[in-house]
Each structure stands twice: as structure tokens, then as C-alpha cells.
Amino acid sequence: MLIGACWTLFDCGKSVEGAGCPPRNQMAKKKSFKIEFKSHPHPRNLQHDGAESPRCCSLDMLLQRLRAIDAQDDKLANIMDVVGEFGTFQRRLVALSFIPNFLSSFFMFADIFMFAPQKPYCNTSWILAVDRNLSEAEQMNLTLPRAPNGSFLTCLMYVPVDWDLDSTIQFDLNHTDSCQNGWIYPESKRRSLINEFDLVCGNETSNEIVYTVFLAGLLTGAVIFGFITDKLGRYPTILLALLELAIFGFGTAFVSSFNQYIFFRFCVSQAVMGYAIGSSALLTEWLMGMHRAHAFILGHCFFSMGVVFLTGLAYSLPHWRLMFLVGGTPVFPLICYIWILPESPRWLIMKGKLEEAKQMLCYAAAVNKKTIPLSLLDKLQLPGKKVASASILDFYSNRYLRKLTLVMCSIWFAIGCNYYTLGLKTRELGMNIYLSQVIPGMMEVPARLCCIFLLEQFKRRGTLIMTLFQGATMCFLSLMLPSELKSLVILITLLGEFNLAASITMFYIYTSELLPTIIRATGLGLVSLIWVAGGILSVTLIHQNIAILPIILCSLSASVALFYCSNLPEMQDQPLPDTLEHITPQSRSISEELSNEDMLSDDMTEEVAKNTILNSRLTSMDQDSLSSPPLQSKDEKIDKEED
């Protein structure tokens, strides 16, 4: 590959795509390259009258960069090029992620509609033993005490007596007591958790408690499934998460107590996080370049559409159990993923399962109607003499990985704090519960689609900085403005959620690309844990009713995150790191290094360097294809051996 790169540059950028290069002596190529390299002075150095610039990039430096890229690719990138960047196989894989993403949002935000306000009254059916013909209004008028304003008290009742109806009407009941036989909800038109389990009159439970338990499930799921995904693989982890989602998500409709409901919601949150981690790793390792980013963006758009679907379902169905039955039914067709979901070839190679990786790549190529040259497939090797291994301890022991993880954690923490703060702010503004969900859900779809344009213009790092800065600014303004300016606060809050939704999508892509394959899922679980921790902390501080605390938390975390964002390496159009050796400070973009003013050579430009690398890869692929031995029949082999 390196020889092809030198010959390409010597021929002044002639394309070698689809053509085989004639055999040449390697030393002659290198010598010719050096002569050509020094024969054309750079325009900036003409004034030096042929003097050699001290800021010269030697041939060895270019060869070193090319070797670094080759070492990271390890032939897998070339094979993926042959398989097809975005063929039928990849499109099918992306489509398979849409339904689980859609259902994940449904199960994730269902609690919002489970605690609709209810007005309870004591169950005083004892009076019906006196006269069964009493209407509900007459029954309440005889057995319930009234407040000074004339309304019935909700948690008190008159003590039952053995009088007949005339005596009860003539002599008013005076002795009151708490509700003894449960409660009734005559004004309620919907069945929710409150009137299902009588969470009233001292038995109240805040929906924030359920919300915190759900976040705790996300936290534990991030740790457990992050480890499982790197240990067992992407494929079994996704299946395990979908199985848990089917059992506990659909099964929530059949719980018999509120404690069971909380436990099932805890398990559902683990499944949601497990699928998010497993699918993110799988898509990252099967897709390339902008196709990877587009797949993440579309998947998150379906997540937002799931919120809209949930809102419509909650509005139209009168019973909370029926909502879980209808919303959870689409989980069961996902059983077919057992037969159609692929495993990641990168993970298989890292675990030493080379033959399984080759079979998976050949299957993908067959679906895309492509053929992988045998010689290219045979060059696919393990990352070293022994199988690559890593653990969560490497996030501490590896210096560069430790710094990278701390930066990512600071950014995820800031996004979590600001996003959950805006979500709680929306609820506190007194908006209609259905509008407060459907409007942000609809706005998040174009917010995430905007990332496609932003990525083309500003790449990963620039897009992340822009969206995070705007989202944090809107969050700060929404917390600072007085509640009297309700319309303005609502608008700013929605704009903040718009930008932070884009930040979440953007940083999911970024984080997946920054982490090496060997511990990618573990790292995703770790940073997701920090994200959830930021959400839990923001919820806790908001409930303290001290306005300055959320402001300080969101502003400080966002400032630290924006400061460290500039230290992240740009990963757009860069090869994915596979092992810990690949995530070094030297793994920056080759175009960044060659475009640096201190490293520009006399006749080298950024475009020439990019073309050199691209053409060298194409040359290697063509040579591998041409060198593939033709398939011979058994008779031909026997004749050849006899000769």
C-alpha cells in the first residue's frame, strides 16, 4: 500500500482506481519519489532562492502517517469498502433499529401519563344497606362532611350508624373519621395509577419518586449492559435487552400492586439503556463515515416520534393498563431479530473469532451482491499475537483514555443536567400534559435532522459545541426569567430542548467513534451513567425549591463542558480505533496534521495528501483483487498435479 502511495504522488495524482500498477522496484520508487518531492519548490519558499525550508515534511513523515492508518485499518476498512458502504445489508440493519427506538421512547416516558390528578372521596357504600335506591349524590350528601366553602372533604367521612334512612336524614351525623373502606372517584373519566392503587389521603407517592427509580434503572443498566456488550457481544446483548423489554414492558399491564409497578419500571429502564448501548456499538462498527451519522440521526428521530405516539395513545385510551397492552404488543414481532440481526465483525476480530468475522463479512457482501477477493479476506488478521483484551480498569490506567473519558463525562454530565432541568421546567409551567409532550417531541425531529447539515459544515466537534452552547444558554435564560413571562419562558424552554436534543444525538455519534472497539460499549455505559447522574442531581436540586442551585449547576457544568470540547479530536472521516494502542494523541486526522503550517512540505498540499491516501488504498484493493487465485475445478487440479 505504501509503494502505491509513493507512485501515485510521483505521477502527480493520476488515478489508479480500477487499474493494476505495473511491477516496479521498491527502492527505485522511493528514490524517484524523493527526487520529485524536492524538484518543485513551494510558492511560499520561492523568495528563498532554492533555500531549504526548516518547516519541511519529509517522506518518512508521510510514510509514518500512512503506516499509522494501515495499522488501524488492518485490512478491515478495505474489506468494508468492498462489501459496500451503504448497501442492502446496511440499510436493512438501520431499519431494524427503528422499531426498538420507537418503542424505547414509549416505555421511557409512559410514567408521565400515569399520575393524572384525581379527586378522591371516601367510599361510604354502607349507607346503601339502609336504602339501595339512593343516588350517588344523595349518598355523598348524607355521609360526607363539607368544607366551609361547601365542597365535600376528600379524606373524611361520617362514622357509620345503625339508623334507618328517616333518622339519618332528620338527625345529622356529626362524628367523622378517616376513610375506612377505600375511596371512590366520581369525577374521574380515566383509570390511572392513583385511582387503581388508591394513592391518596396519606398514601400519596410523587411521580418524581417513580421518575428517580426509573433513572436509577438507567444508571444500573448502563453499568451492567455496558460490560455485557463488550464481554458477550453486540448481538446477544440486544436480544437480551429486547427480551427484558418484552417481559417487563408488556408485563407492566398486569401488575397487582404499586410496588410491583415500580419494580417493572426499573427493569424496563435497564432494558432501554441496554438496547441503546448495544445498538449504538453495532451501528458504529458496521457503518462508515456519514452513513453512520445519518443512521444515528434517523434512529433518534424515531425515538422522538415514539413520544408523539405515546401522547396520542394516552389521550385516546381511558385505562392505563390498556395503554401498556397496546403500546407493548409491537415488542413481540422483534423475536425475529434472533435470525436476522448480525454480529459486529470488529468485535469478533477483537475477541479472536476470525472465522466468524469472515463469515459475517461474506454474508454482508452476498446481501449487497458483492464479492470479497479471497486474497484480501485471507489478509484479515487478529490485532496481535494474542487476543486483544481490556477492562474497565483501563479507563484509569491508560493515561490518554483517562483524559478522554473525563472530557466526555464532563460533556455528558452537562447535557444531562440541562436537558432534565428543561424537562422539569416544562412541567412546572402548567402546560397541558399532552401538549407539553407532543410539542417537544415534534420539535426534536427537525432538531436532529438539522445535524445532517451541521455535520457537513462544521463536522463533529463544531456541531457539538454549537448545539451545546445554544442549549445551555436557553436553559440559563429559562431559569432566570420570572414566571410572569410565561409565554416567553415556554418558548425559550422549547428552544433549549431543541438544541439539547441535537446535542444528545451528536454526542452519541461522537462518543461511539472516540472509544476503541474493545471497550466501546463499556465506555458508552460509563458516560451514560454520568449522563443519568446529571439528570438525578438536577431533579434533586430542583425539588429543594432553591432557585439558585439549578442555575449554578447548569451554568457551571455547561461552562466546563464547552471548555473541554475543544480538546476532543475530530473524528469525522477518520478510521475507528479498535484497540487501546489506536487511541493515542497521534491518531489525529492526517489532513489536520498535513494542513498545519509547521508541517506543510515544499510541494505537498492537503488535497494531494488526501488523494494520496485514498489512491493508495484503492491501489491495494485492486492489487488484492487481481492477485486472487482463480477458482479451479477438481479435474483441473488433478491434471496440473499430473503434469
Side-chain angles (χ1 to χ4, degrees):
M1 184 180 290
L2 300 178
I3 297 174
C6 298
W7 179 243
T8 302
L9 189 58
F10 175 76
D11 281 346
C12 300
K14 291 182 181 180
S15 176
V16 295
E17 184 174 2
C21 291
R24 293 175 179 268
N25 183 273
Q26 183 175 357
M27 295 303 295
K29 282 186 183 180
K30 192 169 182 180
K31 184 176 180 181
S32 300
F33 182 88
K34 289 183 178 180
I35 296 172
E36 181 70 13
F37 186 78
K38 295 182 180 180
S39 60
H40 298 286
H42 195 278
R44 294 184 306 171
N45 299 330
L46 290 176
Q47 59 182 348
H48 296 292
D49 298 328
E52 207 171 301
S53 171
R55 296 174 298 185
C56 171
C57 179
S58 66
L59 172 62
D60 293 336
M61 184 175 294
L62 176 60
L63 297 178
Q64 183 180 358
R65 299 297 182 270
L66 292 176
R67 290 191 190 99
I69 293 178
D70 290 339
Q72 285 196 33
D73 284 352
D74 198 18
K75 296 297 180 181
L76 183 58
N78 292 339
I79 295 179
M80 295 298 291
D81 287 334
V82 175
V83 169
E85 287 190 1
F86 200 66
T88 303
F89 179 85
Q90 287 87 348
R91 288 194 294 269
R92 187 177 69 182
L93 178 61
V94 174
L96 290 175
S97 69
F98 290 161
I99 297 178
N101 278 325
F102 189 86
L103 294 176
S104 293
S105 63
F106 171 83
F107 287 115
M108 191 169 183
F109 298 104
D111 289 327
I112 296 173
F113 303 100
M114 297 294 103
F115 295 89
Q118 307 287 337
K119 198 167 185 179
Y121 298 99
C122 291
N123 181 11
T124 56
S125 57
W126 63 268
I127 196 67
L128 297 178
V130 179
D131 188 347
R132 294 182 177 278
N133 296 324
L134 289 174
S135 65
E136 187 177 71
E138 292 174 335
Q139 176 184 340
M140 295 175 63
N141 189 50
L142 290 173
T143 58
L144 296 180
R146 293 179 179 269
N149 60 2
S151 62
F152 291 109
L153 296 177
T154 57
C155 294
L156 292 176
M157 59 176 286
Y158 287 120
V159 176
V161 294
D162 295 332
W163 300 346
D164 57 23
L165 182 61
D166 294 334
S167 300
T168 303
I169 295 174
Q170 183 178 2
F171 303 101
D172 294 334
L173 302 178
N174 295 322
H175 299 289
T176 60
D177 197 359
S178 58
C179 301
Q180 299 176 2
N181 300 311
W183 293 264
I184 58 174
Y185 306 86
E187 301 174 7
S188 175
K189 298 180 180 179
R190 293 179 177 275
R191 194 71 170 172
S192 68
L193 290 177
I194 291 179
N195 51 23
E196 179 78 14
F197 300 116
D198 292 329
L199 304 178
V200 294
C201 298
N203 297 324
E204 295 92 348
T205 180
S206 174
N207 57 348
E208 279 77 15
I209 295 177
V210 180
Y211 190 56
T212 303
V213 171
F214 190 88
L215 290 178
L218 293 177
L219 189 146
T220 56
V223 177
I224 295 173
F225 279 97
F227 173 78
I228 292 177
T229 305
D230 280 333
K231 191 71 175 177
L232 301 181
R234 284 62 168 129
Y235 167 77
T237 301
I238 293 176
L239 294 182
L240 181 61
L242 292 178
L243 177 63
E244 188 175 2
L245 197 64
I247 294 175
F248 294 100
F250 184 81
T252 305
F254 303 98
V255 297
S256 58
S257 67
F258 184 68
N259 290 334
Q260 287 183 10
Y261 177 85
I262 292 180
F263 174 74
F264 273 57
R265 295 297 294 161
F266 178 83
C267 295
V268 165
S269 62
Q270 286 186 338
V272 169
M273 180 58 72
Y275 175 77
I277 293 174
S279 62
S280 297
L282 187 65
L283 289 175
T284 299
E285 292 159 10
W286 264 113
L287 301 177
M288 302 174 64
M290 290 302 294
H291 298 297
R292 182 188 304 128
H294 294 168
F296 272 89
I297 292 169
L298 289 176
H300 286 200
C301 287
F302 271 83
F303 183 87
S304 300
M305 292 169 61
V307 177
V308 179
F309 169 74
L310 167 65
T311 306
L313 206 60
Y315 182 79
S316 58
L317 297 179
H319 203 297
W320 69 273
R321 293 185 186 271
L322 187 60
M323 189 176 76
F324 276 105
L325 288 175
V326 175
T329 301
V331 176
F332 292 100
L334 301 183
I335 295 175
C336 66
Y337 281 24
I338 296 175
W339 298 279
I340 60 179
L341 199 67
E343 182 56 274
S344 166
R346 286 185 178 272
W347 180 85
L348 289 172
I349 294 174
M350 291 299 105
K351 292 299 179 179
K353 303 178 181 181
L354 191 59
E355 293 303 320
E356 293 182 30
K358 291 180 179 180
Q359 293 176 5
M360 191 60 63
L361 290 168
C362 290
Y363 171 71
V367 174
N368 290 340
K369 298 181 180 180
K370 304 285 186 180
T371 302
I372 303 176
L374 294 178
S375 61
L376 187 61
L377 198 61
D378 291 338
K379 291 182 179 179
L380 193 61
Q381 298 177 354
L382 297 178
K385 295 182 180 179
K386 55 183 179 180
V387 177
S389 61
S391 67
I392 195 172
L393 298 178
D394 290 306
F395 287 97
Y396 174 77
S397 59
N398 187 295
R399 181 180 179 185
Y400 182 73
L401 181 60
R402 181 171 67 250
K403 292 181 179 179
L404 186 65
T405 305
L406 289 175
V407 172
M408 290 189 296
C409 286
S410 67
I411 298 173
W412 268 121
F413 183 82
I415 293 176
C417 289
N418 286 268
Y419 186 76
Y420 283 105
T421 298
L422 287 177
L424 292 175
K425 184 70 175 180
T426 303
R427 300 181 194 179
E428 293 177 355
L429 292 174
M431 293 178 59
N432 180 277
I433 188 173
Y434 301 103
L435 290 178
S436 65
Q437 296 302 312
V438 72
I439 293 178
M442 295 177 64
M443 289 183 62
E444 286 183 5
V445 175
R448 292 182 160 111
L449 291 176
C450 285
C451 291
I452 297 176
F453 170 77
L454 294 176
L455 284 172
E456 294 176 353
Q457 300 297 320
F458 306 103
K459 299 186 178 181
R460 267 58 163 168
R461 184 170 51 201
T463 302
L464 176 62
I465 293 175
M466 182 184 304
T467 55
L468 179 57
F469 174 76
Q470 293 176 351
T473 302
M474 295 301 170
C475 182
F476 176 78
L477 292 176
S478 68
L479 293 173
M480 290 295 294
L481 291 175
S483 57
E484 289 77 11
L485 302 175
K486 184 176 178 180
S487 299
L488 181 59
V489 174
I490 291 176
L491 177 61
I492 291 177
T493 302
L494 292 177
L495 290 176
E497 290 185 337
F498 182 94
N499 285 280
L500 289 176
S503 298
I504 292 173
T505 300
M506 187 61 253
F507 205 41
Y508 251 110
I509 302 170
Y510 211 163
T511 305
S512 299
E513 293 175 338
L514 283 168
L515 295 168
T517 301
I518 194 65
I519 51 173
R520 178 167 289 122
T522 305
L524 284 172
L526 180 62
V527 297
S528 297
L529 185 151
I530 300 300
W531 173 53
V532 176
I536 293 176
L537 183 59
S538 64
V539 171
T540 303
L541 292 183
I542 288 177
H543 290 161
Q544 299 299 320
N545 295 323
I546 302 177
I548 194 64
L549 293 181
I551 297 175
I552 294 175
L553 175 66
C554 294
S555 302
L556 185 61
S557 62
S559 300
V560 173
L562 288 170
F563 174 78
Y564 283 116
C565 267
S566 58
N567 293 331
L568 289 175
E570 180 58 61
M571 292 301 295
Q572 188 147 315
D573 301 324
Q574 299 303 306
L576 289 176
D578 285 328
T579 62
L580 296 178
E581 289 74 16
H582 291 161
I583 53 166
T584 59
Q586 288 77 21
S587 62
R588 295 187 304 163
S589 167
I590 187 81
S591 60
E592 285 185 36
E593 296 194 12
L594 291 176
S595 62
N596 191 312
E597 183 177 309
D598 293 335
M599 302 187 71
L600 280 172
S601 64
D602 293 42
D603 64 344
M604 182 74 65
T605 64
E606 181 180 356
E607 195 63 32
V608 171
K610 289 181 179 179
N611 290 336
T612 300
I613 297 168
L614 177 61
N615 290 338
S616 67
R617 291 182 178 179
L618 294 174
T619 301
S620 176
M621 292 167 57
D622 291 334
Q623 290 176 349
D624 289 334
S625 179
L626 291 173
S627 61
S628 297
L631 297 177
Q632 297 178 342
S633 65
K634 293 183 178 180
D635 294 337
E636 291 176 346
K637 291 181 178 179
I638 293 173
D639 294 340
K640 187 175 181 181
E641 290 176 0
E642 291 178 354
D643 293 340

